Amino acid sequence: MEVIAINLLVFAIGALMIIKGGDWFVDAASWIAGALRIPTFIIGATIVSIATTLPEMLVSLMAAADGKVDMAIGNAVGSVTANTALIMAVAMLGMKIVCPRKGYWKQFALFIAAAASLYVFSLPGELNFIGCAVMALIFVVFLVQNVRAAKAQGEADVSQRAEDMGKPGKYIALFVVGAVGLAVGSQLLVRSGSTLATLFGVPERVIAVTLVAVGTSLPELVTTITAILKKQSSLSVGNILGANIIDLSLILPLSALVSGKALPVAGSILTLDLPFCLGVTLLASVPILLREKAPKVQGAALLAAYAVYLWLVIF
């Protein structure tokens, strides 16, 4: 029990390091981009849109580099399932969700396309170069769409940027500390997660789609709670959709690149994790696209689906 407690503590420390390190890293990266006179709308559409997915990205890349492919895939897919069936469900139950079809259909379409493509291209038992290329293309389309939407909204207020330009030491320090926190925290999360899997006598995938996936999704949960308190449904839904698209379309192709070969997809991932991921994607997306709003019953249905998924994964 003592060994389990120590590894759970290391796991929690790792999660905290990558979440806080990610915040500092993104703040510093945004400052550096501003110092290089990169337009504000590009910073917001690229660096900031990727911000909340840094924990998932680093953990999956570290796992892929260590040869822990099931953990790399399980973390990315499990995070999307948690974001959708747990965090978006909390948003639906906690506040009124209104999503005009005109403003959201592209994001929902890309989300569905990413989840469906991942499932289809994984059916042979591996995610090969062609599948990774299609996923990467979806990410590029998402990024271009973000840049265009941000540009249409115009430049953000630049007065704060001008004021912050006089603090290079602060942001250089944040950049370094944030990068170290991300790297070390990811290693702690992967290593402790792998050890916990051994101690509990379960496959690494089980730890990846539960503890690791929920742990790396904490930034999205914090954003959702903030949105509920502020009654800003667009903040929560937009953040979750963006994070899910990046988790599916960028993290796995990068993991394949790091591993240097096609990503083998285990039978349990193919028969349980990916179908559930696609299922909750459709359950969350289609009713909103049809009705332009999300009733509380939809949130309850998503939570019920997530409970069933966890039961199947664990037992």
Side-chain angles (χ1 to χ4, degrees), residues 115-129:
S117 297
L118 177 60
Y119 180 60
V120 170
F121 283 109
S122 297
L123 286 175
E126 66 176 18
L127 184 62
N128 59 21
F129 173 79

Side-chain angles (χ1 to χ4, degrees), residues 27 242 277:
D27 286 345
C277 181

Side-chain angles (χ1 to χ4, degrees), residues 28-40 42-43 47 155 161-162 164-165 168 171 175:
S30 298
W31 178 88
I32 292 170
L36 295 175
R37 299 187 181 280
I38 297 175
T40 306
I42 292 181
I43 297 173
I47 296 174
E155 285 276 354
R161 176 195 287 185
D164 285 343
M165 286 301 104
Y171 288 101
F175 185 87

Side-chain angles (χ1 to χ4, degrees), residues 6 9 51 77 86 107 114 121 130 135-137 140 155 167 172 174 185 208 214 217 222 264 275 283 300 303:
I6 291 173
L9 178 61
V77 175
L86 176 61
Q107 284 182 299
F121 283 109
I130 295 176
M135 304 300 294
L137 179 60
V140 171
E155 285 276 354
K167 304 175 182 178
I172 291 173
L174 285 178
V214 173
S217 293
V222 171
L283 181 58
L303 275 181

Side-chain angles (χ1 to χ4, degrees), residues 52-60 75 79 216-217 220 247 251:
T52 57
T53 62
L54 280 175
E56 294 96 322
M57 188 181 302
L58 264 293
V59 169
S60 285
N75 172 54
S79 292
T216 55
S217 293
E220 286 86 356
D247 281 347
I251 293 177

Side-chain angles (χ1 to χ4, degrees), residues 245-267:
I245 293 168
I246 294 171
D247 281 347
L248 293 172
S249 64
L250 178 62
I251 293 177
L252 292 178
L254 286 178
S255 296
L257 182 64
V258 168
S259 67
K261 57 183 179 181
L263 289 176
V265 182

Side-chain angles (χ1 to χ4, degrees), residues 67-78:
K68 303 179 187 300
V69 178
D70 282 0
M71 182 170 286
I73 299 176
N75 172 54
V77 175

